[in-house]
Amino acid sequence: MNTRSNKFIVITILCLTFMACGSETVGSLMGNKDVVVNLVYGSEKQEWLEPLVAEYNAANNKTADGSTIVIEAKPMGSIEAINAIIGQEIQPVVWSPASSVYLPVAEARWQEKFGHELAAQPPADLVLSPVVIAMWQPMAEALGWPTKPIGWSDISELAVSEDGWAAYGYPEWGKFKFGHTHPDFSNSGLVAILAQAYAGAGKQRGLTPDDLLSPELAQFMEQVESSIIHYGSSTGFFADTMFNRGPSYLSATVMYENLVVAQKSKRLSGASSQIPVVAIYPKEGTFWTNNPYVVLNAPWVSDTQKEAAEAFETFLLARPQQERAIALGFRPADPSIPLGSPLDAQHGVDPSQPQTVLEVPEAAVIEEVQYLWRQAKRPVDVTLVVDTSGSMAGDKITTARTSLVEFINQLSNRDRAQIVLFNNQVSVLSPLTPLADKREELVRRVSGIIEGGDTSLYDATLQAYQQLETEGDPDHIRAVVVLSDGEDTSSVRTWQEILQEIGASGEVEGGNSIKIFTIAFGSGADTTVLQQMAEPTGGKQFTGDPATIDDVYAEIALFF
Amino acid sequence: MQSNRLLFFGIISIAVVVVAGMFLARSLLVNNDPIILSILYSTEKDAWLNDVSSGFTGSVHGRPIQLEFEKMGSREIYLSVLDGSRQPDVISPASSLQISILHDQSMVEDGTPIVSASGADDCRSVVSTPLVLVAWQERAEALGWLASPDADMWEQLQAAVVNPQGWAAYNHPEWGFFKFGQTDPNKSNSGLMTLLLITYDYFNKTAGLSTADIIADDYSQWFGELGKFTTIGDSTGTFMQEIVAFGPSKYDMVAVYEATAIEQVDNAAGRYGALHIYYPPATVLSDHPFCTLHADWVTSDKVEAAQQFVDYLLTQPVQAKALELGFRPANPTITLDSPNSPFTRYAANGLKIDLPAEVELPSGEVLNTLINFWNRHHR
C-alpha cells in the first residue's frame, strides 16, 4: 500500500472512532452537571416528601440535556414562604403551600412586583386533606360528637364562655384551650381566622369588606382569640404539641385531617399513649388543603430547572408515591386511586366528610381579615430576660441588641413587655407596661445595653417568672424569653426551685400557664438546663449564634 | 485525432443528458417523499387519537401520508388559526361552534372563509358527545330531580345557586350553599356550550337566538346573579376530576361532556356516594369536526390525505375504540346498546342513549356576542 492510502485508512479509523464515542463523551461531560431544584413546602407534608426527595435524588434522574436533577426541599410556613419569595430573601424554583387559599393574594402581589403571572403553568394538586378541628374524643363527645354536628360557631361559643368546660358538665377540664398557628405565616392559621370571620358574620360565602367593618365581628374575633394558648409558625409543631402534652394543655387545634390520622396510627401502633383524638368537620363548612405545586414563573428560574421541577412533579403524582401519601393519611389528588384505610373511623376520621366548604374570599378580603386579626389577637405579656455577662462581649451583644429591637417592633401596642438584664445582678430595665406608651424609649434603652460580670441565670429567670405570675394578666399569653450564653455561675436560687415553681403553675393552668422560651446563644450556653426550663412549660428551646439570632427571635415572635 | 475527440465529447454529452433525464424523470414520476399532514386537535380526543393513529396507513400518488399532531384547547385552536400563529392543514376543535366562529370571523377579516361550514364534505364530525350535568345523586334528588330533571332545569339550578339560604331552603342546611361549576367559555368549549344552553333556555327557544336577545337587560340581571356564584374552571377534564376527588363538599354539580363524565364514573364509585348524569331539556353536541383548511399551504394532495385519514377515523374498529372511551361514534353501524358499551354499563348512573332535541347552532357573530356578554359578567 502506498502512503496515501495509509493516510486514508488512519483518518477513516479516527473519524469512525470519534463518531462512535462522540455522543457518549459529550453526554458524560454534560452528565456531570447538576440542576438543583429548590422546593419550599408546607410542613404538614414533610413526612411524605422527605423520603421521596431522598429516593428521587438517589436515582440520579436526568433532564433532556443530561443534567442530574437534585431536589433540595425545605419545610416552611406556607405564607411565610411566599412572603420571603416576594421579598427575594429566598429564590426557590417551586413553592408548594398547604392550600390554594392564599394564592389569590400571592398572585396579586406577584403581578405587582414582576408584572406577570406567578405560576409557570396551572399548578397541579399533589395531595388533598380537609382542614379539621382536632379534639380529644371525650371532649368532642361532651359537645355531642359524633351525632350532633359541631361547627366553628360552637367552638367560638365555647372559647368565649367564662365557664369553659364546666358548662358541659366537666369543670375538671377547666377553660377551653384552643390553638391555631400564626395567620401571617401559616395556612392553617389563616383558614382558622377566615372561618372565624365567616362564623362571626353568620355567612358561608360572599364575605365582604363591609362585613368586616362591624364592631360585633371584631369583638367576636377578639373573644375567640382569647382562648388561644399561643400561636406558632407551623401546623406540624402545633400537632406535636397537642399530641405530646395531652388534653390539659390544649383542648382543640385547627389542623389537617392527615395529622389526625398520623396520630391515630401512632396510637394504634403503641407509639403514643395519649387518649384518642378525633377530627371534627365543621358543620358550616371548611377549607381543603390541596398542596398545589407552583413552579414559579420567576426571573431566577431557568428552563432546565422548570423541566426538572416538572419531572419531580410527575414522580410525586405517580401511583406508588400517591399510595404512600394515603398510608400517611392524605387523600389522593388522582381520582383513579381509591380511598381506603387508614382513612376510616378507626383512625378518627370520616371519609364521607366534609359535606361543604366555605367560599375562599377574594384577595382584598383575605388581607382585611388578616388585618382584623392583628387587632383582635390575644395580647401578650412578655418578659425578655437577657444575659449581659462578660462573655457576651463583641458580636454577641451587638447582634442581641438589634434582634431584641426587631422583636419589640413585631409586638403590637396592646402587648406589654418588660426587660430583665442579668450578670451577677438582676436588674429590671423596663417594667411590664403596654408598648403603646413606651416603644421608642424601650428601643433606646435596649440599644444601650452593655456587657460585664458573671451569670445569674437561675435568679433572673425565677424573678421574671414570679413577677409575671403576680403582675401578668391571665387573659394574655404570658411568656418569658430567656437568652443566655453560658452556665449559671452566681445565682442564689437553685435549679430545683425553678423546676418546682414551673411544675406547680403548669398543673393548675395547663396550656394557659406561663411559657418559657430559651435561646442557647453560642457554644458556651447550658443547653440542657435551657431545654429543661422551656419544655415543661410548653415553650421551646432554640439554639442561636450572632449570625442567626435575629431569625430565632423572629420565630419566637410567631408564638405571640 | 480530431474525430476521436469529437466522439469522446459526444459520448460524454449523451451520458450527461441521459443521467440528468433519469434524475428528472425520477423526481417527476416517483416522488417518495411523505406528505406531511399537520393536525391541530382539541385535548379531549387525546386518548383516542393516541390509541388509533398509529394504525393508519395511507398514501397519495404513491407518497406515504405522515401525520403530525398538536393538541390545544378549542378556543386556542380558533385563535391561533385566525391570527396565523399556527398553519395546520386540518383542525379539529371540540365542536362546530368554533368552526362557525372561525368561518364567520375569517370571512370578515380576509373576505373568504378559511373553513367550510361544518357538515361540508371537508368538515366532517367523527365522534360526538353532549353537554350534561354531573351531580351527586342524593343532592340532585333533594332538588327534585328524580329520573330526569324537569323542563325548567336551568331555572331550578339558577334558583338554587342564587338562594342565600343555600341547601337550607331544601331541608339540607348541612350541605351549605349550592355549588355549581362550569368552565370559562374563553378557554373551554364546554363552557361555551353551557352558556349557549342556558341562554336559549332563558328565552324559551331552541333556535333563532339573536344578538338582541342576549343583550336584553332582564337576562343580564338573571345571568349576572347566577354567574356571581358559579365556580369557573379552565378545563373540563380537571373539573370532572375535582368533583370526584374532593366530593360534594366542593361541587354539588358541574357541567361537562358526557364522555368526560363516563371516564370518571368508575373512579367515583366507593367515594362520596352515587354520581349521576343529567341531560338538559335541550342539548348541544360537542361533535368534533375534522375540517381541512382553505389555505394556500393545503395542497390538493393534502386535501386527499386528510380525506383518507378522516375515512380511517370513521372505520368500524376505530369508532368502536371511541365508544369504549365514552364518545358517541359517527359511524351508524355501531350501536350504543351493546353489552360492553358504557351506555349499557353505566345506565344506572343516568346515562341515556336517546338525546333530547339539539339547539340550533347560532352564527359566529351571535356566539361572539355571547362570549362578550360572559366577559362583562366575569371580568
Side-chain angles (χ1 to χ4, degrees):
Chain A
M1 259 190 262
N2 62 22
T3 48
R4 199 189 267 183
S5 65
N6 274 347
K7 254 188 199 163
F8 176 76
I9 289 169
V10 169
I11 288 171
T12 308
I13 290 172
L14 277 176
C15 283
L16 285 173
T17 313
F18 275 120
M19 277 166 72
C21 64
S23 61
E24 216 180 341
T25 315
V26 172
S28 69
L29 279 174
M30 300 189 78
N32 286 335
K33 272 193 315 188
D34 282 350
V35 53
V36 177
V37 175
N38 292 102
L39 159 69
V40 287
Y41 65 93
S43 61
E44 62 291 325
K45 49 186 177 286
Q46 185 170 9
E47 212 182 328
W48 177 57
L49 271 183
E50 226 164 47
L52 294 180
V53 168
E55 277 169 39
Y56 191 79
N57 286 342
N60 282 320
N61 292 283
K62 308 271 185 201
T63 56
D65 73 355
S67 307
T68 306
I69 303 174
V70 178
I71 309 290
E72 288 181 1
K74 187 184 167 200
M76 199 173 191
S78 297
I79 298 162
E80 180 185 12
I82 193 66
N83 286 338
I85 296 168
I86 291 172
Q88 298 202 29
E89 294 155 37
I90 53 171
Q91 297 195 325
V93 176
V94 182
W95 170 50
S96 182
S99 87
S100 295
V101 170
Y102 201 68
L103 276 188
V105 181
E107 182 71 56
R109 292 177 51 204
W110 186 273
Q111 295 211 9
E112 197 179 313
K113 176 134 189 168
F114 295 105
H116 54 70
E117 288 183 351
L118 166 72
Q121 70 223 5
D125 296 344
L126 291 181
V127 285
L128 314 179
S129 194
V131 174
V132 299
I133 298 165
M135 189 181 278
W136 301 103
Q137 189 170 330
M139 292 179 172
E141 281 164 350
L143 295 180
W145 181 91
T147 45
K148 184 175 165 246
I150 301 166
W152 298 105
S153 50
D154 302 290
I155 296 296
S156 305
E157 253 173 53
L158 190 53
V160 168
S161 149
E162 276 298 315
D163 300 335
W165 287 111
Y168 291 84
Y170 293 90
E172 68 273 27
W173 292 343
K175 285 185 88 171
F176 177 69
K177 299 174 200 92
F178 192 36
H180 67 69
T181 54
H182 198 298
D184 288 342
F185 291 82
S186 154
N187 178 73
S188 64
L190 178 67
V191 298
I193 62 165
L194 290 177
Q196 268 180 43
Y198 271 117
K203 284 186 166 184
Q204 292 172 287
R205 72 171 177 192
L207 195 65
T208 64
D210 278 352
D211 293 327
L212 302 177
L213 290 176
S214 121
E216 288 81 17
L217 180 64
Q219 195 190 1
F220 174 79
M221 212 176 211
E222 202 171 298
Q223 286 175 327
V224 177
E225 290 294 306
S226 70
S227 67
I228 298 286
I229 61 152
H230 59 65
Y231 303 100
S233 66
S234 127
T235 317
F237 173 78
F238 238 117
D240 289 346
T241 307
M242 174 164 174
F243 301 145
N244 292 337
R245 298 189 165 274
S248 66
Y249 189 78
L250 255 170
S251 312
T253 300
V254 179
M255 63 171 83
Y256 310 129
E257 184 189 61
N258 68 293
L259 295 167
V260 173
V261 174
Q263 165 64 11
K264 264 300 183 95
S265 298
K266 269 191 196 162
R267 204 176 157 269
L268 293 170
S269 71
S272 166
S273 55
Q274 284 294 359
I275 58 167
V277 69
V278 295
I280 292 172
Y281 304 86
K283 66 182 178 198
E284 302 93 341
T286 187
F287 296 92
W288 279 88
T289 61
N290 53 328
N291 298 285
Y293 187 85
V294 185
V295 180
L296 295 171
N297 186 16
W300 59 83
V301 177
S302 73
D303 286 348
T304 316
Q305 283 176 314
K306 269 184 203 157
E307 182 195 338
E310 280 162 27
F312 185 57
E313 175 191 307
T314 306
F315 168 76
L316 294 176
L317 290 173
R319 201 174 180 108
Q321 283 66 253
Q322 289 283 302
E323 282 173 348
R324 277 164 72 173
I326 298 173
L328 293 169
F330 287 100
R331 302 190 188 196
D334 176 351
S336 72
I337 300 172
L339 293 180
S341 175
L343 283 164
D344 50 29
Q346 203 198 358
H347 290 83
V349 301
D350 177 358
S352 74
Q353 291 277 2
Q355 290 290 301
T356 187
V357 288
L358 296 169
E359 185 184 57
V360 175
E362 55 187 77
V365 174
I366 293 178
E367 289 187 299
E368 234 2 81
V369 174
Q370 285 177 302
Y371 176 79
L372 196 63
W373 172 81
R374 281 177 217 126
Q375 317 300 311
K377 69 193 269 290
R378 190 173 172 189
V380 60
D381 284 354
V382 62
T383 302
L384 294 157
V385 179
V386 186
D387 189 339
T388 59
S389 60
S391 53
M392 286 285 288
D395 266 4
K396 281 191 192 163
I397 196 74
T398 51
T399 54
R401 282 196 294 250
T402 50
S403 306
L404 277 167
V405 168
E406 272 180 42
F407 181 88
I408 291 163
N409 285 335
Q410 283 191 45
L411 298 174
S412 78
N413 280 346
R414 289 194 304 149
D415 293 334
R416 303 194 298 176
Q418 78 169 341
I419 296 192
V420 173
L421 306 179
F422 71 92
N423 41 25
N424 39 335
Q425 302 264 307
V426 177
S427 50
V428 175
L429 190 71
S430 171
L432 189 68
T433 49
L435 273 169
D437 311 329
K438 64 170 184 186
R439 191 184 293 271
E440 275 178 37
E441 194 221 330
L442 194 62
V443 165
R444 197 172 47 76
R445 297 287 303 269
V446 167
S447 306
I449 295 174
I450 50 166
E451 77 288 354
D454 283 339
T455 308
S456 298
L457 171 64
Y458 301 158
D459 285 354
T461 307
L462 201 54
Q463 183 179 325
Y465 193 90
Q466 285 170 333
Q467 244 173 10
L468 210 48
E469 268 189 324
T470 51
E471 293 169 25
D473 181 344
D475 287 339
H476 292 191
I477 298 172
R478 292 169 300 162
V480 179
V481 180
V482 183
L483 171 108
S484 172
D485 79 330
E487 288 179 15
D488 191 287
T489 52
S490 54
S491 282
V492 179
R493 315 290 288 270
T494 66
W495 175 231
Q496 284 310 318
E497 283 178 77
I498 293 189
L499 285 185
Q500 235 167 7
E501 186 76 37
I502 294 170
S505 162
E507 257 171 45
V508 181
E509 297 178 285
N512 282 322
S513 64
I514 297 170
K515 320 267 175 319
I516 302 181
F517 294 87
T518 56
I519 305 166
F521 196 29
S523 53
D526 193 341
T527 313
T528 317
V529 155
L530 292 173
Q531 191 172 353
Q532 287 175 9
M533 258 184 208
E535 285 193 345
T537 68
K540 203 174 170 187
Q541 185 251 321
F542 296 84
T543 318
D545 56 42
T548 60
I549 188 65
D550 53 342
D551 290 341
V552 172
Y553 270 113
E555 195 176 339
I556 295 174
L558 298 188
F559 283 89
F560 315 134
Chain B
M1 239 2 225
Q2 184 89 24
S3 65
N4 268 355
R5 194 181 272 180
L6 270 177
L7 184 65
F8 176 75
F9 278 113
I11 290 170
I12 293 290
S13 305
I14 290 166
V16 167
V17 169
V18 167
V19 168
M22 276 170 67
F23 271 109
L24 195 65
R26 203 184 147 101
S27 67
L28 281 179
L29 296 176
V30 272
N31 180 350
N32 284 327
D33 295 345
I35 294 174
I36 295 170
L37 189 69
S38 68
I39 301 166
L40 195 54
Y41 69 98
S42 66
T43 48
E44 303 86 359
K45 288 185 285 288
D46 195 38
W48 180 51
L49 290 179
N50 275 338
D51 261 4
V52 301
S53 54
S54 60
F56 171 71
T57 50
S59 63
V60 178
H61 304 310
R63 294 172 64 192
I65 301 168
Q66 188 181 318
L67 304 171
E68 259 186 22
F69 290 103
E70 188 183 2
K71 63 175 172 182
M72 52 170 71
S74 295
R75 180 84 181 162
E76 282 177 280
I77 294 178
Y78 155 71
L79 291 171
S80 64
V81 169
L82 192 67
D83 71 12
S85 58
R86 289 288 192 289
Q87 297 196 327
D89 304 311
V90 176
I91 57 169
S92 179
S95 95
S96 291
L97 295 177
Q98 284 82 34
I99 298 300
S100 177
I101 299 177
L102 182 60
H103 177 277
D104 289 10
Q105 201 60 34
S106 58
M107 181 102 113
V108 169
E109 291 187 13
D110 309 324
T112 169
I114 197 168
V115 279
S116 302
S118 67
D121 279 351
D122 62 355
C123 209
R124 283 182 286 168
S125 161
V126 289
V127 288
S128 68
T129 187
L131 185 88
V132 296
L133 290 180
V134 173
W136 299 99
Q137 187 171 350
E138 187 189 8
R139 299 199 175 189
E141 284 177 358
L143 211 56
W145 299 5
L146 298 172
S148 57
D150 300 334
D152 59 352
M153 183 202 90
W154 291 113
E155 286 97 299
Q156 290 176 4
L157 174 72
Q158 194 263 7
V161 170
V162 304
N163 194 320
Q165 303 295 312
W167 279 111
Y170 302 85
N171 300 318
H172 284 284
E174 73 276 17
W175 295 342
F177 56 95
F178 187 94
K179 293 165 278 285
F180 168 63
Q182 74 155 90
T183 58
D184 182 345
N186 291 291
K187 293 177 180 161
S188 157
N189 173 67
S190 73
L192 183 56
M193 285 168 60
T194 310
L195 179 61
L196 181 66
L197 286 189
I198 291 175
T199 310
Y200 260 128
D201 187 79
Y202 182 83
F203 294 103
N204 284 319
K205 288 182 175 182
T206 54
L209 186 69
S210 70
T211 299
D213 286 335
I214 298 168
I215 58 178
D217 281 350
D218 57 340
Y219 181 52
S220 190
Q221 192 184 344
W222 184 90
F223 183 82
E225 282 180 57
L226 170 67
K228 190 168 146 194
F229 296 115
T230 299
T231 305
I232 313 299
D234 290 351
S235 137
T236 320
T238 307
F239 241 132
M240 191 60 217
Q241 285 189 7
E242 285 192 354
I243 195 173
V244 176
F246 290 93
S249 65
K250 194 161 175 181
Y251 298 112
D252 295 308
M253 199 172 279
V254 291
V256 295
Y257 304 117
E258 182 186 64
T260 318
I262 289 171
E263 216 179 302
Q264 293 290 341
V265 173
D266 281 339
N267 290 341
R271 274 185 138 83
Y272 299 103
L275 204 56
H276 206 83
I277 292 158
Y278 296 90
Y279 293 83
T283 196
V284 60
L285 292 175
S286 162
D287 57 349
H288 296 281
F290 264 71
C291 303
T292 310
L293 294 188
H294 305 164
D296 50 14
W297 62 85
V298 186
T299 61
S300 59
D301 284 358
K302 288 190 174 192
V303 171
E304 161 68 21
Q307 222 157 37
Q308 286 187 31
F309 181 58
V310 175
D311 286 343
Y312 165 76
L313 291 178
L314 290 167
T315 57
Q316 220 268 350
V318 176
Q319 291 274 296
K321 186 75 209 172
L323 174 60
E324 266 176 47
L325 294 168
F327 290 105
R328 293 172 181 245
N331 182 334
T333 65
I334 298 176
T335 55
L336 301 185
D337 58 0
S338 61
N340 278 333
S341 154
F343 290 85
T344 310
R345 280 187 289 141
Y346 302 128
N349 295 91
L351 221 53
K352 286 181 183 162
I353 292 174
D354 295 328
L355 290 176
E358 277 180 68
V359 296
E360 184 191 54
L361 201 67
S363 69
E365 185 202 342
V366 171
L367 289 171
N368 270 331
T369 306
L370 206 51
I371 291 174
N372 291 336
F373 169 80
W374 168 278
N375 290 341
R376 274 210 309 281
H377 287 284
H378 288 281
R379 285 191 177 168

